[in-house]
Every structure is written in C-alpha cells, then in structure tokens.
Amino acid sequence: MTIRSLRKPPPVKLVFPSLIILFLTCLFGILTNLQTISYLFRPLWDKPPPPFKRIPHYYAENVSMGHLCELHGWTPRSVPRQVFDAIIFSNEVDLLELRWRELEPYVSKFVILESNTTFTGIPKPLFFDSNKERFAFAEGKIVHGVFPGKKRSKGQPYEDPFLLEGQQRVAMNWLLREAGISDGDAVIMSDADEIPSPHTVKFLQWCDGIPNVMHLEMREYMYSFEFPVDYSSWRASVHIYSRKWTQYRHSRQTDLILSDAGWHCSFCFRRLNEFVFKMKGYSHADRVKRKEFLDYQRIQKHICKGYDLFDMLPERYSFKELISKIGPIPPSASAVHLPAFLIQNAARFRFLLPGGCLREP
C-alpha cells in the first residue's frame, strides 16, 4: 500500500473580503457626502452647456498690431480705445500686483471694489487699502470703492453668499460710471485671479470690429503655475461699453469666446492663512465639510501634491471626462508663456513657479 504524504494547503488569500471592505468604505464616504454623489452621477442628471463659438487667437512677437487686427477680421484703429479693468477684490494682493503690473501699459483705469465683509458675512480688513503702497506705480489710474458688506450675526445661519456677491457686482456698475467710462470704451469683467494677457488687452485698444461682448478662454492653474489644469476657464469677459445695455456680470453672456486669452490662477496664495481665509469666505464656503480641511499641514500637503483642497470630484458632464480628471493635478516644469512680470521677479514670486510649492504660514 502506498502512503501519500499530505501537504499543508496554501493559505487562502482574502481577496474578495478585502475588496468588499474597500467597496463599503468608499460607499460610506460617498453616502456621507451628497455633493460627491451629485458630482459622481452628474453625467446622468445634467447636460453640458451649449458649446462656445471659438474665435481663433493670432499672436506672435514682432508682428504689428495692424496685421494682427486684420488676421482676426478686425480693423486697425488710428487712436487707442480706452480700456477699463474692473474687478471685485477680496485678499489676492500678490495676484493683484502681478495683474496690474502686467496690464498697466494698456489699461486706462483700474476699477476695484472691495467689501468690509466676505461673501459669507465674515468681517474682513480692506486688504487693498492697507497695501496701497504696493500699487503706487498705477496710482493715477486707480478708482477704488468700498462696498458696505452685511455682517453675519453670531448664531444666525449664513445668508446666500451668491446673493451678497451679486450685490457687489451690481454696485460695480455705479463705480464704473464714477470712473468715467463712456460708450465705446472697453471694459474687462473678471475676478482678480483671471488675468488677461497683454496682447489680448492690446486688441481691445487697437482693433475695431471686435464683438460687443466676448468671453475670454483662460488656461486654468491651481495653487501656482506649476499645476496647469486645462482651458476650461471662461467666465472672464470683455465688453464694448454701452450705458444702456452693459451690466457687470460673471456669468455666461454670449456664445463667443476668444481662445487662449490669459491665465486663471485659482487659490494662488503666498501664505497658508490666505488659503483658509478664502475657503471660509468665498461663495463656495459650503465645500468645507470638515474642520480638518482648514488644517495648515493638510493644506500644505494638498498644495505640493496637487490634490483638491475639498476632496471633491471634478465637475464633468461625461464619465470619460470625469475619470480622466480624477486624482492629483500633474505638475509641470514649464515656466514658458507666463506673465512677463512674474518671470522678471521670479525671486519675489517663487511660490507661483515650478518647485515653489512650500508656503509661509
């Protein structure tokens, strides 16, 4: 009789239980965040807005403005048009200097409105007023207004921050008239971190026949110019001013958009406390779901890794786009085609360039 040796069976790998635990963990995280569910299934319940009609953007160094106007189908002007740059301002002091230094040769008036409260009703300093010395180079062009904000009482619920934001944008119409804008002048409507390129503004100065209203497509960046996202930024717009028709807005106003017209650098702050201030004070403050979102160490890690500060899924209208955008933003080592003032002052603005992700407290 042959006796066979009995071998010890190999250990069972608990693959399926591990997957089940992972699935249940993810499911719990989703179910505790209705916003995540909404974004995850957006392709099923929402439709994308109508596509823009893109205006090709022609530009190269050492090409005359007359030739560039004609390439766009526009007519060169003999006298430059006045250009008004109008922004609602919160606490983006570094980006404001970068913006105005870049655009100062081409802008007639810088119109800036700030409030003594955030959109969520939190009292705030007048950051522009307390940093005016940084903007002495443009002193003769600045028209500064203060909007009396509405302070939230302790224990009371937030008023709709979009309502308060909208009230400030309505007030900008009055401030533009105070600045002396006239019919036929050009006005740029954008947030402080949506910076048109100088050659875009030169079109407004020197070309006739440009659309009365067009949006500006901007390359979007997060935290600094080290983290380019895509070209999805469209809210900035330019208008040929009409006292009868023009209203200051930050929403879609036309189907026309000028391609590759500037930079949108979102949450591009020097200091961690500036990140926290914006997270608590801007119109999307409801995205701060947990207290740890405001922790400095966590914010610093997310900046350097390119993670979303609010652990949110991207806003996309197809599952293919959604999947392609999930995860950290890949960093870029390129500092080409950025604002000239930034490159000229790279040491001062190191935090905005590749390799400069560490922030001051």
Side-chain angles (χ1 to χ4, degrees), residues 205-273:
Q205 275 191 303
W206 290 105
C207 301
D208 268 336
I210 63 176
N212 288 333
V213 182
M214 65 178 176
H215 285 281
L216 302 179
E217 178 190 67
M218 296 187 171
R219 186 161 197 189
E220 188 152 10
Y221 298 83
M222 189 64 68
Y223 312 137
S224 74
F225 293 101
E226 183 175 12
F227 293 100
V229 181
D230 52 27
Y231 284 90
S232 61
S233 180
W234 57 267
R235 289 185 177 273
S237 62
V238 296
H239 301 244
I240 303 302
Y241 185 79
S242 164
R243 188 180 182 92
K244 184 176 181 181
W245 300 111
T246 304
Q247 294 293 318
Y248 190 91
R249 293 167 57 189
H250 197 236
S251 54
R252 185 157 176 169
Q253 303 173 66
T254 178
D255 290 339
L256 298 176
I257 188 167
L258 180 65
S259 300
D260 199 3
W263 311 272
H264 180 187
C265 201
S266 187
F267 280 92
C268 291
F269 294 112
R270 182 186 298 272
R271 299 176 182 86
L272 295 172
N273 65 357

Side-chain angles (χ1 to χ4, degrees), residues 174 292 319:
W174 172 84
E292 57 264 32
F319 288 113

Side-chain angles (χ1 to χ4, degrees), residues 73-224:
W74 304 330
T75 306
R77 293 172 58 96
S78 57
V79 178
R81 178 188 284 110
Q82 284 207 109
V83 178
F84 289 69
D85 182 37
I87 61 169
I88 306 293
F89 181 73
S90 178
N91 67 324
E92 309 92 342
V93 177
D94 285 302
L95 280 187
L96 183 66
E97 182 182 359
L98 179 60
R99 177 193 186 102
W100 283 6
R101 290 279 189 180
E102 197 75 3
L103 301 184
E104 192 275 332
Y106 319 105
V107 167
S108 308
K109 290 286 180 69
F110 291 111
V111 186
I112 177 170
L113 180 66
E114 67 175 329
S115 176
N116 57 358
T117 68
T118 68
F119 293 150
T120 54
I122 301 171
K124 64 177 280 292
L126 298 177
F127 287 106
F128 175 78
D129 206 44
S130 58
N131 286 276
K132 283 193 293 189
E133 70 282 353
R134 289 182 64 172
F135 306 98
F137 64 91
E139 185 176 3
K141 295 183 175 184
I142 299 171
V143 179
H144 175 231
V146 176
F147 181 85
K150 189 173 181 180
K151 181 180 176 182
R152 181 172 67 95
S153 300
K154 188 174 182 180
Q156 287 189 344
Y158 287 111
E159 189 169 344
D160 183 356
F162 290 101
L163 178 62
L164 298 177
E165 179 180 349
Q167 291 171 354
Q168 291 190 39
R169 298 193 186 281
V170 170
M172 177 60 84
N173 293 304
W174 172 84
L175 192 59
L176 278 167
R177 290 192 288 271
E178 286 289 304
I181 196 168
S182 301
D183 285 2
D185 293 339
V187 56
I188 302 166
M189 302 182 186
S190 71
D191 285 348
D193 57 5
E194 298 166 336
I195 306 174
S197 62
H199 49 85
T200 296
V201 182
K202 287 166 73 174
F203 286 141
L204 306 181
Q205 275 191 303
W206 290 105
C207 301
D208 268 336
I210 63 176
N212 288 333
V213 182
M214 65 178 176
H215 285 281
L216 302 179
E217 178 190 67
M218 296 187 171
R219 186 161 197 189
E220 188 152 10
Y221 298 83
M222 189 64 68
Y223 312 137
S224 74

